[in-house]
Amino acid sequence: MPEVIIEASALHKEYSGFPAVKGIDFAVAKGECFGFLGPNGAGKTTTMNMVQGYSPITSGTLTVFGMDRRKDHRNINARLGVVPQENNLDPDITVLENLLIYARYFDIPKSVARERAASLLDFMSLTDKKDERIPKLSGGMKRRLMVARALINEPELIILDEPTTGLDPQARHMIWQRLGELKSSGRTLVLTTHYMEEAEHLCDRLVIMDGGKILTEGTPRKLIKKYVKGSVVELAMPESGPARVLECLKGIEFEHEVSGSVLYIYTEDAATALDKAACFAASGFRHRQATLEDVFLKLTGRELRE
Amino acid sequence: MNDFLTPPRVGRRAFKVWQRDRDAWYKFYKPSLIGNIAEPVLFLLAFGFGLSKYITDVGGMPYINFIAPGIVISSAMNAASFECAFGSFTRMSAQKTYDAIIVTPVNIEEVAAGDIMWGATKGFISAMIILPILVLFGLIESPWLVLSPLLFALAGLMFASMALIVTAFAPSYDFYAYYFSLVVSPMFFFSGIFFPLDTMPEWVSMAAWFMPLTHAVSVSRALATGDVSFTLLGDVLWMLVFTLATSWVAIKFIRRRLVK
Ligand SMILES: Nc1ncnc2c1ncn2[C@@H]1O[C@H](COP(=O)(O)OP(=O)(O)OP(=O)(O)O)[C@@H](O)[C@H]1O
Ligand SMILES: [Mg+2]
C-alpha cells in the first residue's frame, strides 16, 4: 500500500452560502500524478485552494502528508509547492529576486537559495532572463517562472492549477517534460487542466468534476474504455433527423449522442456501424479513436458553462 | 467573532514580509526619498518663513521653531499612511503578493504584521531624513532629541496600522480619498502643529485629545524644545495602547478580507 499524501473525505466548501465543492472524496498516493478535470466553475480551483490551505474548509476532513489541514499550516506548507491558476509574481523585482525572496519564506539559507535558483532557472530555461523584471516576460516565461518558484523549497507535493493554459505548444510541451521529470524523481503532482491531451499524457489517475461533485475517477485508459468504448464514429446527420439513422443502425450494440447536426456513435464495432451508414446515405462521417475528451463531454454534457 | 479575540498568530516570519517590502522599495528608493524631503521642507518654508512676518513668537519661540517638530512627525504620519494605504492595497489586490506569500509557511497575520512594520519603517525613514535638516538650521536644539527615533518608530507603527485597517475595507484606490481627507488632513491641521491647542476653546483641545497625531506632536515638541515633563508619559501611553489596538484590528480584518 503506497503512502497516502492527500486524503479528502466529504470535503465541502461554501462561499457565503454558495456551495462550490459538495462533499467530495479522493486520495492521492505518493509519487503519482493526479488530475482534476471539469468544466469552468466545476470547483477545481476551490479544491486546490483547500489543499493549499488558502481557503478554509467548510466541512469534511482533509489531511496532507498525514497532517490535519486545519491545524498544521506551517508544517504542511513547508513541503508544498503551489502554482495557482493566476500568476502572482512580484512585478517590482527581477526574475532571480523573485526566487530568492520566495526562498526566504521557507527559511532557506541564502547560499542554498542562490544555488537552487540558478539550477531552477536552468531547469526552466530562464537563465537568460534572470535580471529581467516581470512585466517584460512573455506569458510562457511567467508561467515557467511560476513553476520554478514553486520548486524552490524542493516540495514533495506540487499543486498546479492549469499550469499550461494560454501557452503555445512549445512552452506546453516543455512544461510537460519538466513535470514528467519531477514525477520520475518521486514527487507527487496534483494538477487541474482543460487540456485532455495534457491529462492523458501526464496523469496516472484523474477525476472529472462538475457542479462541485466528482463524477468519476480512474486511469485515463480505463475511463475511455468504460464510457466511450474503443472508437467514435461522427456522422453528419441527414436533414430528416436522427430517427432514420438510428433505425438503420439497429442490430449493432452502440451508444450514441446527438449534438447539433452531428451524431456521435461510441462503439467497438466501428466497421459494422460504417457499413450500415450507407443505408441512410450519410453526407459525411469520421471514424477515430476515442479520447478522454469524449468521456469528458459525455459526462459533463455539451452545453456551455457559466 | 471568537477568532477576533484570540491574539494574532504573529511570529518571526513577519520579518520576512518586511524584508520583501524593503527589497522591492530599494529598487525605487531615490525618487521616493526626494518626495519625502520635499513636502515637509515646503511646509516649513511656506508656513514658517511665510507667516513669520505676522506671527513673531508662539510659546516663547519663533513660529518656524514652533511648527518644526510637528512637521517632522507629520511626515512620519504621511509616509506610514501612504505605505499601508496605496502600497498595501497594491500588494493585496493588483499584484496578489499577499496571495503568493500565504501558501508558504508564512501566515496571513504575519503578512499583515510585516506590512505594518514596513509602513512604520517608511515613516521612520521619512522623519529621520528631515530631522538633521532641522537641526542644521538650528530649529531643534535640545539634547532630548536623541529619543526622537523611538517616537518616530512608535508613530510609524500607529499610523501604519490605522491605514491598514482602511485597506482591509477598501474596495478600490478611490476609497482612500475618504480616509485622507476626513482623517489624515484634519489631524494634520488640528493636532497642535500650527497653533497651541491650549489657546483654543476647550472643546477643540478635547476633540484633539482623541487624535493620535496630537499626542505624537506634543512628545515631538517636548523632545525638540527640551520642555520635558511627566505629562508626556500620558501621551506615550495613549499611543502605545492605541497602536496595540489598531494593529490588532488591522491584522484581524486583513485576515478576514483575505480568507476566501
Ligand atoms: N471567492 C469566491 N467567492 C464566491 N464564489 C466563488 C469564489 N471562488 C469561486 N467561486 C464560485 O465557486 C464555483 C467554483 O469555482 P472554481 O474557481 O473552483 O471553479 P474551477 O473548476 O476552478 O473553474 P475554472 O475552470 O473556470 O477555473 C464557481 O461557481 C465560482 O463562481
Ligand atoms: Mg480554476
Side-chain angles (χ1 to χ4, degrees), chain A residues 54 74 77 90 102 104 107, chain B residues 12 16 20 23 100 110:
Chain A
Y54 178 84
R74 291 201 209 281
N77 285 51
D90 212 318
Y102 214 68
R104 265 200 311 239
D107 285 326
Chain B
R12 66 183 170 82
K16 293 168 189 294
R20 180 256 155 233
D23 291 352
E110 287 161 339

Side-chain angles (χ1 to χ4, degrees), chain A residues 13 15 52-56 73-74 77-78 82 86-94 97 101-102 104-107 133 149, chain B residues 9-13 16-17 19-20 22-24 27-28 95-97 99-107 110 258-260:
Chain A
K13 174 72 190 178
Y15 294 112
Q52 291 155 17
Y54 178 84
S55 291
H73 183 84
R74 291 201 209 281
N77 285 51
V82 172
E86 283 179 62
N87 291 341
N88 51 28
L89 296 162
D90 212 318
D92 296 339
I93 54 179
T94 66
E97 287 164 338
I101 287 181
Y102 214 68
R104 265 200 311 239
Y105 303 136
F106 294 92
D107 285 326
R133 297 237 332 269
R149 193 183 72 179
Chain B
R9 276 154 294 184
V10 176
R12 66 183 170 82
R13 286 179 177 82
K16 293 168 189 294
V17 178
Q19 283 177 309
R20 180 256 155 233
R22 177 204 60 193
D23 291 352
K27 301 247 140 187
F28 308 99
Q95 300 186 356
K96 300 194 189 322
T97 312
D99 287 351
I101 302 175
I102 63 179
V103 292
T104 71
V106 181
N107 67 27
E110 287 161 339
L258 251 53
V259 165
K260 289 189 188 85

Side-chain angles (χ1 to χ4, degrees), chain A residues 6-63:
Chain A
I6 307 176
E7 190 162 27
S9 83
L11 186 60
H12 188 85
K13 174 72 190 178
E14 283 181 14
Y15 294 112
S16 42
F18 171 80
V21 170
K22 301 173 185 163
I24 60 172
D25 302 279
F26 63 91
V28 179
K30 189 181 169 76
E32 76 174 331
C33 175
F34 193 89
F36 282 83
L37 272 55
N40 292 143
K44 305 181 296 296
T45 297
T46 302
T47 306
M48 298 304 106
N49 284 345
M50 286 190 279
V51 175
Q52 291 155 17
Y54 178 84
S55 291
I57 301 157
T58 306
S59 69
T61 59
L62 179 61
T63 61

